[in-house]
Amino acid sequence: MTTTPAPIRFLLTFDDGPAAASSGNSTMRILETLAQNGQQRGIKAVFFTQTRAWHGGGTDVGRALIRREHDDGHLVALHSATTFHSNHRFMSSQALDESMQDGVADLLAITGVPPSLVRPPFWAYNADTLLTYHAYGLQMLLTDLNANDGKIYGINWSWHKRANMLKHLAETRVRWAAGHMPEVDGATPVVVTFHDVNTYTARHLEEYLAILVDVARELDVPLAARPFYDSREELERAALASTVADAASRPQLPGFWNWLWQ
C-alpha cells in the first residue's frame, strides 16, 4: 500500500543580510512583507546573517535589524562572521574556528540565544567545515528551491521568477513523491532561499510568495493549510530536520554550485 507524503510547507530562508542602508533598507522591507502580505500574515523565516560584514551586520543598523528579526519571531542563524563573504572551504582551520566562535558569540549577545543553524557562503563545505560547525552546536541547512537572486550589484532582477521556481519545485517533487524528504509536524518542509540584501527581492517578495503557492498547485503538490511557517518553534524543528548530517550524503546544491563543489 502506497502512503501519500505529507503536504508541503515552504520554509523561507534569507542569506547575506542584514542590509545596512539607513533608508530604503531591503531587510526591513522584507520583514514588513512577511508580517503583512496577501498570502499569509505573520510568516516566519530563517535569516542567515553576516554578523561582522562591513556593510551589514557589523554596523549599528545591521545589529539592530538582527535584534528585530529575533524579536519579530524569526529564526536568526549564522552565515558568516567575517568582514567579507568569505568562503569557509578556503579558510584555515584556525580562522574558520575563530569565525564560528565569533559568530555564535555575536548572535548570542544580540538575541540572547545561541544559533542552531549555519549555511556556508557560496554553499561551499566539506567534511572538515561540517565538523567545525558541529563543534559549535551548528547544523548546516542547504536548500531545495533557490530564487537565484544572489547577485546584488549590476543586474539584480529576474525575468524568470516563475519558471525558475517551477523548475526547482518540479525537481523537488520527485523526492517528495518518493518519500525521501522529512515529515515534521504533519508537513514536508521545502526550503526556499532568497537574499535579503537584494533590493529587487525586497520589492517583489509578495510576488514570489504568490508564485510559490501557484507553482505548487500547477504541479499538483498539496499544500499545508498554512503554506508558510508562522511559528518560530515549528520553523526550527522543520529546519533542523532538513539539515545535512554528514558530508558523505552529498545533497543537490543549487545550479552550478553542485558541479563546482561536488
Side-chain angles (χ1 to χ4, degrees):
M1 181 176 177
T2 303
T3 302
T4 302
I8 71 166
R9 204 170 184 194
F10 293 114
L11 195 165
L12 305 184
T13 68
F14 293 87
D15 287 5
D16 290 355
S22 57
S23 64
N25 187 289
S26 56
T27 300
M28 189 176 298
R29 182 163 183 171
I30 283 170
L31 289 171
E32 292 167 352
T33 302
L34 292 173
Q36 298 283 348
N37 62 80
Q39 295 299 318
Q40 181 181 325
R41 295 178 61 184
I43 296 172
K44 306 305 179 189
V46 182
F47 285 88
F48 286 98
T49 58
Q50 299 191 81
T51 64
R52 301 194 175 191
W54 68 273
H55 60 307
T59 67
D60 290 341
V61 171
R63 285 187 290 270
L65 279 170
I66 292 174
R67 189 173 301 110
R68 176 177 170 179
E69 289 166 0
H70 175 77
D71 291 346
D72 283 0
H74 301 286
L75 188 60
V76 178
L78 182 61
H79 196 40
S80 75
T82 53
T83 305
F84 300 99
H85 194 251
S86 301
N87 189 318
H88 289 174
R89 283 181 60 151
F90 296 161
M91 295 170 70
S92 69
S93 59
Q94 180 179 348
L96 179 59
D97 185 80
E98 290 175 353
S99 73
M100 291 297 102
Q101 183 176 341
D102 289 342
V104 169
D106 291 340
L107 293 181
L108 178 59
I110 295 171
T111 69
V113 295
S116 59
L117 296 169
V118 64
R119 175 175 284 163
F122 309 105
W123 312 98
Y125 73 94
N126 55 26
D128 291 336
T129 58
L130 204 54
L131 283 173
T132 302
Y133 300 157
H134 291 168
Y136 285 92
L138 298 166
Q139 301 299 313
M140 184 179 70
L141 183 68
L142 298 180
T143 200
D144 300 306
L145 280 60
N146 182 19
N148 288 333
D149 65 336
K151 184 172 177 57
I152 62 172
Y153 301 108
I155 299 175
N156 72 334
W157 60 82
S158 172
W159 291 309
H160 307 287
K161 294 187 290 297
R162 190 181 188 284
N164 177 65
M165 288 299 190
L166 182 67
K167 174 180 180 292
H168 285 202
L169 187 57
E171 294 168 351
T172 301
R173 189 189 190 286
V174 175
R175 292 188 291 117
W176 169 82
H180 294 162
M181 299 178 71
E183 179 180 332
V184 186
D185 296 326
T188 302
V190 172
V191 183
V192 188
T193 296
F194 297 98
H195 293 76
D196 58 301
V197 290
N198 190 326
T199 56
Y200 179 87
T201 300
R203 294 194 305 274
H204 293 268
L205 182 59
E206 187 158 2
E207 183 181 353
Y208 274 115
L209 299 179
I211 287 170
L212 288 169
V213 170
D214 184 54
V215 297
R217 289 171 177 159
E218 178 175 337
L219 293 168
D220 198 26
V221 179
L223 291 165
R226 301 192 311 280
F228 301 94
Y229 285 88
D230 51 13
S231 158
R232 178 161 55 205
E233 291 71 28
E234 289 183 347
L235 176 70
E236 185 167 24
R237 286 195 296 271
L240 288 171
S242 305
T243 55
V244 178
D246 61 81
S249 61
R250 296 185 178 278
Q252 186 76 17
L253 291 170
F256 83 99
W257 300 111
N258 199 69
W259 168 83
L260 183 64
W261 303 127
Q262 299 193 19

